[in-house]
Amino acid sequence: MKAVRIRFLALVAIACSVGFAATAVSVAAGQPVTVQAAQSAFNDAYRQEDWPRAIEVGLGLVQMLPDSDTIKYNLACAYALSGDPDSALHWLGRAAASGFTRLALLDSDSDLDSVRDRPGYSSVRTAVAENEGRRNREIVKRASKSPILIVAPPDHDRRRPSPLVIAFHGYGDRAANYPRFWSGPAADFGAILAVPQGLQPVGNGFGWGSVDEADAVFQRALAEVGRQYEVDPDRVVLTGFSQGGFIALALGLRYPDRFSGVIPMAGPYIPEVDAPPPVRAGSPNYYFIVGSRDRVVSDMRRAARDYESAGYDVKLRVVPSTGHNFPENSDRELEAALKWVLQE
C-alpha cells in the first residue's frame, strides 16, 4: 500500500538531486525547514501509518508549494487512510485543479479505495483524465522541437541493420557535447549514435523536465533514426550521464524489452523510484559507471546491488580518481561498457 505512495512523492524530491536548489521555508507549527526535510518527514509518517502527523506535514507542504498537484494528491491519500474520505475527496479535487495528470495511479492506488464510491469522485476522475490528455498532447508537441543529433560510423551502409546507442545528456548540458565521448566507441561496434537534447533551458544548456518528456523525445529519436538507417532492434543500447543516467534507468524499467543494454553513468538513484521489478526474459543488461570521487558513487553502488538482487545481469565500474564527469580515458571505458552489454 504505502510503497506506491512513497514512490510517487519521491518524484518531487528528484528535482533537487538533478539541479534544483532547496528553499528554506517555515511550517506553520514549527521551525524553518527545507522542502526536502518536510517531504522526508511526510514519508516517515506515511511509512509509520501516523496519519495525523502525515496530514499535519502535508498541510505544511501545501503552504510551501501551493501549486504542487503531487503534494495535494499525497495529502488526499493520507486523509483517506485516516478514515476521512470527504477530506480526501476535497484534496483530490484540489490536486486535479492544480493539474494532476496520473490517471493510472488514481485508478490503481489502493490508498484511495474508500473514496471511489463518494459523490463527486467521478467528476474528479474526469478532470484528471482531461489533464492527462492535455499534458500528453503538449509533451508530444514539445518533443517535436527537440534536436536529435545523429552520428553514423564512417562509410556506414544505411541499409545494413546496425546497433543503435541512444545517449541522454546531463542537466545543463547539450547534445553537441556527446559525440566526442560516444561516437568513437559506437563506431567501433558499427553502431549509430543518437543524442536527443532536452527542452528545458538551464544556463547555457538544457535539462529534462520529466521522465515523460524524455520518453517522448526518446520515441522521436527512434523514429528519426529509423527514417534514415536500418536499426537492429535486438541491439539497442540506452545510456545517459548524471540526470541523463536517471532518465536511462527510468526508461530501462519502462521498456525492458526495447534494449539489449542500459549504461547509467553517474546518475542519481532513489530506490523508491528506480528499484527494479524481478528480472524477466528479454530484460537488458546493466553496466553502471561512476567515478570513485563522484557524489553519487553510493547511489550507483546501491543501484547495482538492487538490480543484481532482482536477477539482472549487472556490472559496476567505479573509475578511480574520477569525480562527476566522464572518465579521463573515456574511449576505453565506454568501449568496455558497450562490449559487455552487447555481449561481444
Side-chain angles (χ1 to χ4, degrees):
M1 176 184 69
K2 293 184 290 301
V4 173
R5 181 73 359 266
I6 301 304
R7 270 188 70 171
F8 191 58
L9 183 59
L11 290 171
V12 177
I14 188 63
C16 298
S17 70
V18 293
F20 293 94
T23 301
V25 291
S26 297
V27 181
Q31 297 298 315
V33 297
T34 64
V35 170
Q36 291 91 331
Q39 289 171 334
S40 178
F42 182 90
N43 282 351
D44 289 343
Y46 216 102
R47 290 188 183 100
Q48 297 165 17
E49 302 186 11
D50 184 348
W51 309 126
R53 175 61 178 158
I55 290 168
E56 177 188 12
V57 176
L59 290 170
L61 276 165
V62 171
Q63 293 180 19
M64 297 177 190
L65 299 172
D67 296 328
S68 172
D69 56 286
T70 301
I71 290 170
K72 293 166 188 171
Y73 178 90
N74 286 322
L75 184 55
C77 291
Y79 270 114
L81 292 168
S82 76
D84 188 350
D86 291 332
S87 293
L89 184 61
H90 167 77
W91 283 103
L92 278 182
R94 291 190 60 177
S98 293
F100 187 78
T101 61
R102 297 180 178 269
L103 183 62
L105 179 63
L106 180 69
D107 285 343
S108 64
D109 195 340
S110 61
D111 292 1
L112 295 172
D113 286 348
S114 65
V115 181
R116 294 192 178 92
D117 61 352
R118 310 298 291 185
Y121 176 80
S122 62
S123 297
V124 170
R125 187 185 184 281
T126 297
V128 172
E130 291 172 351
N131 290 344
E132 185 176 72
R134 270 193 306 273
R135 178 175 182 267
N136 290 343
R137 290 190 294 273
E138 291 169 359
I139 285 175
V140 171
K141 183 178 179 180
R142 288 199 306 269
S144 69
K145 300 177 181 178
S146 171
I148 310 294
L149 193 159
I150 301 173
V151 181
D155 303 319
H156 182 71
D157 182 353
R158 294 174 180 267
R159 297 166 297 179
R160 185 180 75 245
S162 303
L164 171 63
V165 176
I166 299 179
F168 281 87
H169 64 73
Y171 184 81
D173 210 340
R174 291 174 173 269
N177 293 330
Y178 278 64
R180 67 189 175 104
F181 299 115
W182 274 108
S183 60
D188 287 344
F189 292 86
I192 301 158
L193 172 66
V195 189
Q197 185 159 286
L199 297 167
Q200 307 296 320
V202 179
N204 294 323
F206 298 87
W208 301 100
S210 69
V211 174
D212 289 340
E213 179 181 276
D215 188 348
V217 174
F218 160 70
Q219 302 295 342
R220 180 166 174 265
L222 280 179
E224 188 63 30
V225 174
R227 278 192 288 269
Q228 300 182 38
Y229 301 95
E230 289 292 329
V231 174
D232 182 347
D234 296 323
R235 304 179 75 202
V236 177
V237 175
L238 182 65
T239 185
F241 178 79
S242 193
Q243 189 191 28
F246 168 76
I247 296 296
L249 277 176
L251 295 183
L253 291 180
R254 188 173 288 192
Y255 303 113
D257 301 329
R258 301 286 290 275
F259 308 109
S260 57
V262 179
I263 307 174
M265 300 181 66
Y269 173 71
I270 299 177
E272 292 88 351
V273 178
D274 300 325
V279 71
R280 67 187 193 193
S283 293
N285 303 320
Y286 283 82
Y287 192 108
F288 296 87
I289 305 178
V290 66
S292 64
R293 296 177 179 173
D294 198 315
R295 65 182 182 271
V296 297
V297 63
S298 60
D299 285 17
M300 290 283 91
R301 290 185 186 277
R302 170 68 185 275
R305 290 196 303 269
D306 287 357
Y307 275 69
E308 188 171 33
S309 296
Y312 294 80
D313 288 334
V314 172
K315 185 173 178 62
L316 171 66
R317 170 60 173 156
V318 178
V319 184
S321 304
T322 301
H324 193 66
N325 47 261
F326 273 73
E328 184 175 346
N329 193 341
S330 61
D331 279 1
R332 184 180 64 190
E333 296 290 348
L334 300 182
E335 285 169 6
L338 281 176
K339 182 176 181 179
W340 195 85
V341 297
L342 291 171
Q343 297 186 338
E344 293 194 355

